[in-house]
Amino acid sequence: EAQVTQNPRYLITVTGKKLTVTCSQNMNHEYMSWYRQDPGLGLRQIYYSMNVEVTDKGDVPEGYKVSRKEKRNFPLILESPSPNQTSLYFCASSLQGPPYNEQFFGPGTRLTVL
Amino acid sequence: GENVEQHPSTLSVQEGDSAVIKCTYSDSASNYFPWYKQELGKGPQLIIDIRSNVGEKKDQRIAVTLNKTAKHFSLHITETQPEDSAVYFCAASRTTTNAGKSTFGDGTTLTVKP
């Protein structure tokens, strides 16, 4: 089944403890992206990757890192999480990326930073 | 950068009525405008999209219109059904500088009352 998977789905952690949220797609898509969703603020883009080894900042990249070493995986790294990073995170992938193709979203990761 | 405003933030209609959600964008170079539907506990899913060389697009009960001069686009849902209840997001992106960057509206919570 074609899908975008994220792990973990739920995570509660403490301030400063490094964490990684994994994202994987099995559709051979070139484009992958991370978003955070907060009440009343919609979806805000954190980072995106047009292809392997090519990453770019979205609108809210501060406090996050990403890497794209292989096509199928695009992990989101929080080196020193803070409470303001408590949010619902979505990974998405697309054949070529907007504006060329629709994005397929994962199921989301709910992160709480205490 | 691009700014997308979406209205209304909540919308309640009676089953069978029509629903209209409007978005405005700021970047005249934006040329791809998708609409995503997010059901409770799931990631957003594309329902319809439109490119800047088209003024209107229809898919069964759903239609999108684009006014490039005024920089706004709208989602129209006719004959609404309870299963249309969800959060809807508009987005904008461009093929030139910052291609790959995607800006979303804040979302509209649509409730269809049976």
Side-chain angles (χ1 to χ4, degrees), chain A residues 5-61:
Chain A
T5 56
Q6 297 178 228
N7 282 293
R9 294 289 313 280
Y10 303 90
L11 178 60
I12 301 174
T13 189
V14 296
T15 298
K17 187 176 180 182
K18 181 180 178 179
L19 67 92
T20 299
V21 183
T22 64
C23 173
S24 184
Q25 50 92 6
N26 62 1
M27 297 171 277
N28 201 35
H29 284 171
E30 289 185 352
Y31 176 93
M32 297 184 76
S33 183
W34 276 103
Y35 298 87
R36 61 178 288 174
Q37 184 176 16
D38 302 291
L41 294 178
L43 291 157
R44 292 181 292 169
Q45 193 173 38
I46 303 171
Y47 270 95
Y48 63 94
S49 169
M50 297 293 279
N51 214 323
V52 175
E53 301 290 3
V54 180
T55 61
D56 266 304
K57 295 178 181 178
D59 290 322
V60 289

Side-chain angles (χ1 to χ4, degrees), chain B residues 52-93:
Chain B
S52 59
N53 58 346
V54 175
E56 185 174 355
K57 184 176 178 180
K58 192 173 181 182
D59 183 4
Q60 297 181 30
R61 297 186 297 110
I62 295 173
V64 56
T65 58
L66 171 65
N67 183 325
K68 284 171 54 181
T69 304
K71 288 191 279 189
H72 69 68
F73 56 112
S74 301
L75 177 70
H76 305 254
I77 306 174
T78 58
E79 300 170 23
T80 53
Q81 301 165 4
E83 50 266 38
D84 293 330
S85 295
V87 179
Y88 291 81
F89 292 98
C90 62
S93 56

Side-chain angles (χ1 to χ4, degrees), chain A residues 31 37 45 59 99-100 103, chain B residues 32 36 38 51 95 100 102:
Chain A
Y31 176 93
Q37 184 176 16
Q45 193 173 38
D59 290 322
Y100 303 102
Q103 295 184 69
Chain B
Y32 177 65
Y36 288 85
Q38 184 180 27
R51 300 185 189 277
T95 50
S102 193

